[in-house]
Amino acid sequence: MKFKAKVKNSELTVKVKISSNEVISEREIDILENKKIRGLLKPKQRRKNLIDYSGPAGVSLIEHLKKPITRYEFFFIMAQIVDATKKVENNNLFLNNLILDLRYVYINENTKEMQFIYIPVLSNHILLNIIGFMEAIAYAVKLMPNQDFDFVAKYVSFIRSLNHFNISSIEAYISKEDKDVAKQIKNQKVNVDGFIIDKPKDYYEDKMEYCNEETSILESDEETGLLNEYGSTGILDSYEKESMEVLHDNEGTMLLDANEKFNIGSYQENVHFPYLVRTSNSEIISINKPVFRLGKERSYVDYFVTNNNAVSRSHADIITRGKSYFVCDQNSTNHTYINDKVLVIKAETEIHEGDVLKLANEEFTFHI
């Protein structure tokens, strides 16, 4: 499939060209074209293999997560994912046709409301990994300096403990962690069908009361998506095996305006993070996220290990919990070690000041 998105006149449009071997479901396209489902971009079939989607202006989730977010917003994002899956099932649609890809899920930077793409095709047999998508967000997220990292690591541990995607369990967890998020989702369901207001311009005016941050709407015609051959019909079961293309700034992924008032660097200047020192070249790597992934595949990780084929694509995570730090091997081929002791796969092992961390034969020293 090919995706191309842009914002114009406060409205997001996404053009999706489906593969020649996929057939659009007339039943599903009829439901989506004639019924406004809040949280899903509204489709319009233009040709046999081309669908145009429209909705309130937004940036791709992968771009949005480059800026620090609050605890509330983190759980609001998770709650909206759960809510979107419920709406798909409640409207007798096929859950595996929901696109869960950080590049093709969109979020309004003022209201924090998310918009999803549903592809109404008959031939999509990819197994949707919703838990994997939630984990991907946790790996990508950056928090405000005054936020405790612990809640992200605990949420990742919780969803990993589930045998399958369990809506009621996740809803109960989010409600326990932040009742305001549950209340906001409930308020949205009062007007579950359609956008808050039909006119995109009025959409923002109606929702500005919920805004706590000053973020500007992107310039008209700004590109928001990639145009490539990547088959983005869901997150596959294993991020380790999936071959994703590297994103570059010039690929039109809705980069923020340089003059925007929100300055990430200004929030991070006085924040202290633990760090690694790579033995081979003395490089310093700041562990600046609650779940920080190391490996050799750029698309999967927060630190890309160069010039070492012994390291796996997604080799290991460093997890921050309060003032404690843990390493979790992600089923790597050549194992992870702390002070030459091999770590149990998918089990968290605490790491301390001065410990030597090895990814296969690549050595680092951990410092707080």
Side-chain angles (χ1 to χ4, degrees):
M1 290 187 186
K2 295 180 180 180
F3 294 75
K4 188 174 184 180
K6 68 178 181 180
V7 171
K8 186 176 182 179
N9 298 327
S10 301
E11 185 174 28
L12 169 69
T13 58
V14 184
K15 294 182 181 296
V16 178
K17 185 177 181 180
I18 66 171
S19 304
S20 58
N21 62 337
E22 292 176 313
V23 179
I24 292 177
S25 166
E26 293 184 9
R27 181 189 70 85
E28 292 188 352
I29 195 69
D30 183 64
I31 291 173
L32 295 166
E33 286 185 346
N34 293 289
K35 182 178 182 181
K36 295 179 181 179
I37 303 174
R38 184 165 172 178
L40 298 186
L41 290 173
K42 187 173 178 62
K44 183 69 176 178
Q45 185 176 0
R46 297 300 182 188
R47 296 201 301 269
K48 181 179 178 180
N49 64 340
L50 182 65
I51 304 175
D52 287 354
Y53 291 83
S54 62
V59 300
S60 64
L61 193 54
I62 197 169
E63 288 300 321
H64 180 71
L65 293 178
K66 290 179 180 180
K67 300 191 303 184
I69 66 173
T70 64
R71 174 192 175 97
Y72 171 86
E73 188 178 348
F74 175 81
F75 283 115
F76 190 36
I77 287 172
M78 295 300 171
Q80 288 182 87
I81 295 169
V82 174
D83 196 50
T85 64
K86 291 172 66 177
K87 288 173 180 175
V88 167
E89 293 183 335
N90 290 342
N91 284 277
N92 296 315
L93 300 172
F94 187 45
L95 190 56
N96 282 9
N97 285 345
L98 186 67
I99 299 297
L100 294 185
D101 185 309
L102 294 175
R103 296 170 296 173
Y104 308 122
V105 174
Y106 299 92
I107 185 167
N108 182 274
E109 299 231 270
N110 289 324
T111 68
K112 312 306 179 189
E113 279 201 75
M114 295 166 65
Q115 300 291 333
F116 296 83
I117 294 175
Y118 180 91
I119 307 292
V121 294
L122 297 173
S123 56
N124 187 352
H125 300 297
I126 293 177
L127 180 62
L128 192 67
N129 185 356
I130 304 171
I131 297 296
F133 180 62
M134 288 180 164
E135 283 192 49
I137 293 171
Y139 299 143
V141 75
K142 294 179 181 180
L143 300 177
M144 296 292 188
N146 61 342
Q147 296 281 307
D148 186 353
F149 282 8
D150 198 32
F151 72 88
V152 176
K154 286 182 177 178
Y155 183 75
V156 170
S157 295
F158 162 71
I159 59 176
R160 283 179 176 174
S161 71
L162 300 174
N163 293 326
H164 59 277
F165 178 65
N166 188 310
I167 289 177
S168 59
S169 295
I170 296 175
E171 284 183 326
Y173 185 96
I174 293 173
S175 180
K176 182 185 70 174
E177 290 295 310
D178 198 318
K179 289 182 171 56
D180 288 339
V181 168
K183 182 180 178 181
Q184 178 66 6
I185 293 293
K186 184 178 180 180
N187 288 342
Q188 288 184 354
K189 289 180 180 179
V190 174
N191 185 23
V192 69
D193 290 334
F195 305 129
I196 297 171
I197 290 178
D198 291 335
K199 295 180 180 179
K201 180 181 178 182
D202 295 335
Y203 172 86
Y204 302 107
E205 295 174 358
D206 183 70
K207 288 295 290 180
M208 284 303 292
E209 60 183 290
Y210 294 108
C211 300
N212 295 318
E213 300 174 7
E214 292 187 22
T215 51
S216 59
I217 298 171
L218 296 169
E219 296 295 329
S220 297
D221 295 322
E222 187 170 6
E223 295 294 325
T224 63
L226 301 178
L227 181 59
N228 56 41
E229 296 293 340
Y230 175 61
S232 177
T233 52
I235 301 297
L236 300 179
D237 278 333
S238 174
Y239 279 83
E240 175 74 9
K241 295 179 181 178
E242 186 181 7
S243 179
M244 293 177 64
E245 295 181 348
V246 181
L247 300 177
H248 297 285
D249 287 355
N250 62 356
E251 290 184 304
T253 55
M254 197 174 267
L255 299 177
L256 296 172
D257 190 294
N259 297 320
E260 190 170 359
K261 294 180 180 179
F262 193 98
N263 187 323
I264 297 175
S266 66
Y267 281 93
Q268 296 179 334
E269 287 178 356
N270 299 319
V271 182
H272 175 76
F273 296 107
Y275 62 95
L276 296 172
V277 178
R278 188 174 178 180
T279 303
S280 63
N281 59 7
S282 299
E283 181 181 2
I284 296 175
I285 303 122
S286 179
I287 311 302
N288 58 3
K289 296 169 63 177
V291 181
F292 190 93
R293 178 160 288 187
L294 305 118
K296 72 176 181 182
E297 175 55 60
R298 291 181 188 269
S299 301
Y300 306 145
V301 300
D302 299 298
Y303 175 73
F304 168 49
V305 181
T306 57
N307 304 318
N308 192 332
N309 290 329
V311 175
S312 294
R313 289 179 177 178
S314 296
H315 197 107
D317 293 344
I318 298 179
I319 300 168
T320 299
R321 283 211 185 88
K323 295 184 179 180
S324 298
Y325 307 94
F326 303 85
V327 178
C328 183
D329 182 274
Q330 295 298 310
N331 198 24
S332 64
T333 302
N334 295 312
H335 309 296
T336 303
Y337 305 81
I338 294 179
N339 299 330
D340 291 325
K341 182 179 179 180
V342 66
L343 303 190
V344 177
I345 293 171
K346 295 290 186 178
E348 296 178 10
T349 303
E350 191 166 3
I351 189 169
H352 303 91
E353 165 66 30
D355 283 351
V356 175
L357 173 67
K358 285 174 61 178
L359 310 183
N361 59 357
E362 188 70 49
E363 186 174 288
F364 305 83
T365 305
F366 180 78
H367 294 287
I368 300 174

